[in-house]
């Protein structure tokens, strides 16, 4: 046991710092012109990977995406006719995404941010051409000015991004997402795109450049083969206004062979589109038990990307005048397809309910609380081989269908994170992960807890006034270790449980597992007490409340029969570990 004491003194030198809205939930219109809602979503790159550290803004509310590309903005005030989410990150094109909000507590807005490709160069004096996957931009000589409007001389860096309508990600990449626009007379229209391109001009130092007043450049975009027969001889040009998050009509392009060619007087995103009057579709998505499915993706002809809210409700604008179809995608599974008749301008059409089969799914039950045991609603991201999904708990709880099999659950709120793998049982069985604690580790006072109380006929051992606490679960060496100390009174603690069996939150009886060992040392004043499990009267229970990632919080409670060996008297007697309750930062 003295070897453990030596180890403890070493550990004591390296201990890390201690861990220290009730809104309506329906989809009926509100009296005011705004809703106060929570907006959450995932922002991916073009390979489907979440992008971390994206700045996301809704009105005056701002958030940063986590490691999975997840953001969550609470109590955002949005216009009930159209909410807009804006995202920025160096190395990516800025994105804006608009959708029709409901009065549900939580809504979803997921989209893709295009990566900026390496810049091409043109000479300011000679001009030149820049091509990108079939699209070409033609620059005349002496065409550029700096931000102050002064003529620019030197190399012009040109970054372009061409989006073809055949791109499978087109609906997730489109600026504005819903393709809402303002025509030349100020009217609101819905667009059908024949392709778009983003163009950004800078000098060698990254300072923005533009076309000089009165100078025009040409943009040539190829027409997709599937659209060629229906392509009109002329088509309006539209640029994306990042302030309004709308496409604005400006100019015309003409059809020349398999391309459209148009002239522009400034550079941003440009789109060759036909305008249509919009109609609205709305409806609900349910699981096989009749429960609403949140964050299911809705597909419709040229609808962009819309997602169900926390009530399973969706609403989106489509082009009037032609029949279409609707179906949904959830956790890698597609629903049945529903036919939509041709709608008249302004018509609101209620789509029959979309219902998913529960094949390949299982019911997940889990509760989330903070360090004060209060219910919280973190963003929860579940990855599986079938498909990924992101959902927000309702009142701190999830009781919903997710992909069955081997899953990884990650949760994040206010800078605190939790991650763990688990096996999801398939329907009709369910998996209950119990209550998970997520603490904000940015505050040294949050979650600080180290209570130790053990009693016997002659001993009453209590740990108090913790100043440093730490611990970890290491599945590779099969060990759980807890450490703590205090200075008033002087106390130290070191504990091991080896040959452990699980690191998933839950309550366990470890003595039922072979070769497990509990080995604690408690130092108070000038004495050391050695504490082990009582093997003659086994009754210990271990409750793992949380096993967060490294740098996040861990929490465990251990209680039951023990033996206490007094180092000064060498006397050992039976006792009870009333409670060893540790909440601290995990450092390994």
């Amino acid at each position: 046991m003295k070897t453990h004491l030596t180890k403890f003194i070493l550990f004591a030198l390296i201990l890390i710092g201690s861990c220290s809205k009730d809104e309506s939930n329906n989809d009926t219109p509100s009296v005011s012109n705004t809703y106060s809602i929570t907006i959450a979503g995932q922002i991916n790159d073009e390979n489907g990977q979440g992008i971390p550290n994206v700045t996301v803004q809704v009105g005056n509310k701002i958030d940063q995406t986590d490691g999975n590309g997840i953001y969550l903005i609470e109590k955002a005030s949005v216009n009930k006719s159209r909410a807009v989410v804006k995202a920025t990150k160096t190395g990516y094109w800025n994105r804006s995404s608009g959708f029709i909000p409901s009065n549900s507590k939580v809504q979803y807005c997921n989209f893709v941010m295009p990566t900026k490709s390496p810049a091409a160069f043109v000479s300011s004096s000679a001009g030149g051409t820049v091509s990108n996957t079939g699209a070409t931009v033609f620059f005349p000589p002496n065409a550029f000015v700096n931000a102050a409007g002064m003529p620019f001389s030197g190399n012009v860096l040109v970054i372009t991004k061409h989006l073809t309508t055949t791109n499978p990600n087109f609906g997730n990449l489109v600026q504005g997402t819903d393709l809402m626009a303002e025509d030349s007379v100020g009217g609101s229209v819905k667009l059908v795109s024949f392709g778009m391109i983003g163009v950004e001009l800078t000098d060698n130092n990254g300072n923005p450049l533009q076309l000089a007043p009165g100078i025009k450049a040409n943009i040539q975009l190829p027409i997709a083969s599937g659209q060629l027969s229906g392509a009109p001889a002329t088509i309006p040009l539209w640029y994306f206004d990042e302030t309004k998050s709308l496409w604005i009509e400006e100019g015309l392009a003409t059809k020349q062979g398999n391309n459209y060619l148009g002239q522009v007087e400034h550079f941003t995103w440009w789109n060759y589109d036909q305008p249509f009057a919009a109609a609205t579709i709305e409806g609900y998505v349910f699981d096989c038990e009749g429960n609403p499915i949140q964050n299911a993706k809705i597909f419709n002809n040229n609808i962009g990307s819309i997602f169900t809210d926390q009530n399973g409700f969706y609403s989106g604008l489509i082009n009037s005048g032609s029949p279409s179809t609707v179906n949904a995608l959830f956790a890698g599974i597609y629903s049945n397809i529903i036919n939509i008749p041709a709608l008249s301008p302004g018509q609101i059409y209620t789509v029959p309910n979309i219902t998913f089969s529960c094949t390949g799914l299982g019911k997940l039950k889990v509760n989330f609380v903070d360090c004060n045991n209060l219910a919280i609603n973190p963003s929860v991201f579940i990855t599986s081989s079938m498909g990924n999904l992101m959902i927000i708990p309702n009142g701190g709880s999830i009781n919903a269908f997710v992909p069955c099999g081997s899953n990884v659950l990650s949760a994040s709120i206010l800078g605190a994170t939790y991650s763990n793998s688990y096996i999801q049982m398939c329907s009709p069985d369910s998996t209950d992960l119990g209550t998970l604690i997520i603490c904000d580790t940015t505050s040294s006072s949050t979650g600080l807890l180290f209570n130790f109380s053990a009693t016997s006929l002659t001993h009453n051992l209590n740990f108090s006034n913790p100043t440093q606490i730490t611990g970890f679960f290491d599945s590779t060496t099969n060990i759980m270790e807890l450490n703590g100390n205090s200075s008033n009174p002087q106390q130290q603690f070191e504990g091991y449980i080896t040959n452990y069996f699980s690191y998933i939150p839950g309550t366990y009886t470890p003595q039922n597992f072979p070769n497990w060992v509990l080995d604690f040392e408690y130092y108070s004043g000038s004495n050391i007490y050695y504490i082990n499990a009582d093997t003659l009267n086994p009754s210990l229970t271990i409750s793992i409340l949380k096993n967060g990632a490294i740098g996040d919080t861990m929490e465990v409670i251990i209680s039951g029969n023990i033996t206490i060996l007094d180092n000064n008297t060498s006397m050992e007697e039976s006792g009870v570990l009333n409670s060893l309750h540790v909440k601290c930062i995990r450092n390994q």
Side-chain angles (χ1 to χ4, degrees):
M1 300 300 293
K2 290 182 180 180
T3 58
H4 287 310
L5 179 59
T6 302
K7 287 178 64 179
F8 175 72
I9 294 173
L10 292 175
F11 271 108
L13 296 176
I14 60 173
L15 289 177
I16 63 172
S18 61
C19 58
S20 351
K21 135 178 158 173
D22 185 14
E23 301 168 8
S24 76
N25 193 24
N26 58 72
D27 301 295
T28 57
S30 66
V31 175
S32 71
N33 290 324
T34 62
Y35 295 137
S36 179
I37 59 176
T38 292
I39 300 180
Q42 184 181 32
I43 300 177
N44 291 330
D45 62 22
E46 292 176 82
N47 296 316
Q49 300 299 310
I51 308 175
N53 303 317
V54 176
T55 299
V56 185
Q57 184 170 358
V58 180
N60 61 353
K61 295 292 187 73
I62 296 176
D63 190 29
Q64 293 275 329
T65 57
D66 65 13
N68 292 312
I70 304 296
Y71 70 92
L72 187 151
I73 296 179
E74 297 184 288
K75 297 181 180 178
S77 179
V78 299
N79 190 293
K80 66 181 182 181
S81 63
R82 188 174 187 253
V84 175
V85 178
K86 296 183 178 183
T88 57
K89 183 178 181 178
T90 301
Y92 295 84
W93 290 90
N94 294 349
R95 274 301 314 272
S96 291
S97 186
F99 64 95
I100 300 175
S102 68
N103 202 23
S104 172
K105 186 176 181 181
V106 177
Q107 330 237 319
Y108 295 90
C109 182
N110 311 290
F111 50 87
V112 175
M113 291 184 73
T115 305
K116 287 185 176 179
S117 59
F121 295 86
V122 298
S123 166
S124 62
S125 58
T129 62
V130 173
S131 296
N132 183 308
T133 62
T136 304
V137 183
F138 304 87
F139 297 98
N142 303 312
F144 305 97
V145 294
N146 61 22
M150 301 301 294
F152 174 79
S153 178
N155 283 333
V156 178
L157 280 65
V158 184
I159 300 175
T160 57
K161 179 67 177 181
H162 176 212
L163 295 182
T164 66
T165 57
T166 56
N167 187 326
N169 249 341
F170 186 77
N172 292 324
L173 287 163
V174 170
Q175 286 287 7
T177 300
D178 55 6
L179 280 173
M180 290 304 298
E182 184 179 292
D183 63 21
S184 58
V185 295
S188 179
V189 293
K190 183 89 164 55
L191 302 179
V192 171
S193 179
F194 282 74
M196 61 184 66
I197 188 171
V199 181
E200 183 178 284
L201 310 176
T202 69
D203 63 18
N204 287 324
N205 296 318
N207 300 310
L209 302 175
Q210 265 297 351
L211 293 178
I215 299 295
K216 295 183 179 182
N218 292 328
I219 297 178
Q220 179 177 284
L221 298 185
I223 304 171
S225 58
Q227 293 179 296
L228 195 56
S229 62
T234 61
I235 194 168
L237 273 170
W238 312 76
Y239 72 89
F240 191 73
D241 186 318
E242 291 196 15
T243 302
K244 295 181 177 181
S245 294
L246 290 172
W247 292 94
I248 308 298
E249 183 178 4
E250 187 178 289
L252 280 174
T254 58
K255 183 180 178 184
Q256 296 185 3
N258 295 342
N259 301 288
Y260 275 124
L261 182 65
Q263 287 190 325
V264 301
E265 296 181 349
H266 56 94
F267 279 108
T268 173
W269 280 88
W270 285 94
N271 198 357
Y272 292 5
D273 291 57
Q274 284 184 298
F276 288 84
T280 302
I281 59 169
E282 58 183 34
Y284 287 86
V285 178
F286 296 102
D287 62 29
C288 60
E289 294 183 353
N291 303 305
I293 292 181
Q294 54 179 309
N295 202 18
K297 184 176 180 179
I298 305 300
F299 293 91
N300 178 270
N301 309 57
N302 210 42
I303 198 174
S305 298
I306 62 172
F307 302 85
T308 56
D309 65 21
Q310 197 170 45
N311 298 330
F313 177 79
Y314 66 91
S315 178
L317 296 172
I318 68 171
N319 301 318
S320 61
S322 60
S324 61
T325 61
V326 169
N327 67 318
L329 172 66
F330 173 73
I333 301 174
Y334 287 90
S335 75
N336 57 306
I337 296 176
I338 296 176
N339 293 316
I340 307 296
L343 304 180
S344 58
Q347 181 179 352
I348 300 175
Y349 180 82
T350 300
V351 180
N353 292 341
I354 296 175
T355 302
F356 275 85
S357 163
C358 288
T359 302
L361 301 176
K363 183 66 71 69
L364 173 66
K365 300 177 181 179
V366 59
N367 300 311
F368 295 93
V369 297
D370 62 15
C371 294
N372 298 314
N373 206 38
L374 299 176
I376 55 175
N377 296 314
S379 57
V380 177
F381 186 62
I382 297 173
T383 59
S384 76
S385 59
M386 287 180 57
N388 303 332
L389 64 101
M390 192 275 289
I391 51 179
I392 305 298
N394 189 356
S397 299
I398 290 177
N399 185 5
F401 282 96
V402 301
C404 56
S406 179
N407 292 350
V408 177
L409 182 150
S410 302
S412 176
I413 187 169
L414 297 175
T417 60
Y418 170 89
S419 181
N420 214 334
S421 59
Y422 72 100
I423 301 298
Q424 175 64 55
M425 303 300 294
C426 289
S427 178
D429 294 327
S430 62
T431 301
D432 192 339
L433 297 183
T435 298
L436 305 181
I437 298 175
I438 303 181
C439 295
D440 180 4
T441 61
T442 59
S443 170
S444 60
S445 63
T446 302
L448 175 61
L449 179 64
F450 197 117
N451 291 334
F452 169 75
S453 173
T455 57
S456 67
L457 290 175
T458 58
H459 293 97
N460 185 12
L461 310 179
N462 289 284
F463 188 103
S464 60
N465 302 317
T467 55
Q468 288 183 307
I469 54 177
T470 186
F472 67 86
F473 299 156
D474 189 336
S475 59
T476 58
T477 58
N478 206 17
I479 185 172
M480 177 170 69
E481 180 175 319
L482 307 172
N483 298 281
N485 65 7
S486 69
S487 57
N488 183 27
Q490 185 177 7
Q491 296 173 303
Q492 294 176 346
F493 184 93
E494 179 182 359
Y496 295 93
I497 298 178
T498 58
N499 294 320
Y500 201 52
F501 50 90
S502 178
Y503 305 94
I504 298 175
T507 299
Y508 306 94
T509 53
Q511 54 264 34
N512 293 335
F513 291 78
N515 302 320
W516 83 281
V517 174
L518 179 145
D519 184 1
F520 291 152
E521 297 176 5
Y522 168 64
Y523 173 82
S524 180
S526 61
N527 200 6
I528 303 174
Y529 302 89
Y530 304 111
I531 300 162
N532 299 94
D534 189 337
T535 57
L536 297 179
N537 300 288
S539 69
L540 280 171
T541 61
I542 299 178
S543 296
I544 299 177
L545 303 182
K546 179 184 178 183
N547 177 23
I550 294 174
D552 193 12
T553 50
M554 59 168 288
E555 182 169 13
V556 62
I557 299 175
I558 306 174
S559 61
N561 293 337
I562 56 171
T563 61
I564 303 174
L565 174 62
D566 188 321
N567 185 63
N568 284 349
T569 64
S570 298
M571 183 178 70
E572 183 179 70
E573 61 183 4
S574 297
V576 175
L577 178 60
N578 301 310
S579 175
L580 170 61
H581 189 174
V582 180
K583 185 185 296 182
C584 61
I585 298 294
R586 178 181 172 188
N587 70 340
Q588 292 192 48

